[in-house]
Amino acid sequence: MQLDESLTIECPHCHTANCVSSGRFNEAPICAGCRQGLLAGTPLALNDESFAPVIEASARPVVVDFCSSWCAPCKMFEPVFSAAAERTPAVLFARVDADANTRITSRYVIRKVPTVALFRHGQLAERVSGALPPKQFDAWLRSALA
Ligand SMILES: [Zn+2]
């Protein structure tokens, strides 16, 4: 029997807070506000509270961009990451504000931004730091997923 937990997920399209039960997390939940897919096409913002339950509930691998609002390389990498999210439906893409969510960054020892990390079944599998250009990021993603 799976324990159902209620996850609060901010819609990446319209920022409405949605309540999704963890048992339904992999059934392509739709935003109550804008009716778009909550977990499709656009990186999901995660925080100290939502991070662990979401990466554990996700049947798909989760790729997380740890970034900071003041960081220029993060700004450069942002569209690269978003473009990959649009064309890689087999992966759940998420972003974590590294300054505001220090429980996660200290747990995974994130010392540089941007750092991208791949989680499978809630476990950290691969990570890379620095603003990778599109081709290099795609190559990293392919090898991390292989
Ligand atoms: Zn929405």
Side-chain angles (χ1 to χ4, degrees):
M1 197 173 75
Q2 196 184 352
L3 189 67
D4 247 5
E5 197 179 349
S6 172
L7 306 175
T8 303
I9 300 199
E10 187 191 296
C11 174
H13 311 285
C14 73
H15 305 288
T16 296
N18 283 263
C19 213
V20 178
S21 93
S22 58
R24 301 190 72 92
F25 187 81
N26 293 298
E27 296 170 17
I30 285 178
C31 173
C34 69
R35 318 301 299 168
Q36 297 188 75
L38 276 177
L39 309 176
T42 308
L44 190 65
L46 296 179
N47 58 35
D48 275 344
E49 282 67 47
S50 58
F51 188 81
V54 163
I55 64 166
E56 281 159 22
S58 179
R60 290 181 286 170
V62 186
V63 174
V64 184
D65 175 17
F66 292 92
C67 52
S68 290
S69 55
W70 49 264
C71 155
C74 293
K75 281 270 170 281
M76 274 167 45
F77 183 62
E78 202 179 293
V80 175
F81 193 74
S82 294
E86 245 174 73
R87 59 170 189 265
T88 320
V91 175
L92 175 60
F93 285 75
R95 270 201 188 96
V96 169
D97 179 332
D99 299 315
N101 299 288
T102 51
R103 257 182 19 224
I104 312 170
T105 54
S106 57
R107 173 162 181 200
Y108 294 105
V109 200
I110 306 297
R111 294 214 177 89
K112 284 186 193 162
V113 285
T115 287
V116 180
L118 172 78
F119 293 84
R120 285 179 206 276
H121 312 295
Q123 301 295 315
L124 178 66
E126 300 282 343
R127 62 196 282 168
V128 65
S129 290
L132 299 180
K135 275 188 183 157
Q136 272 170 268
F137 179 60
D138 288 348
W140 177 83
L141 192 58
R142 272 198 308 274
S143 81
L145 292 169

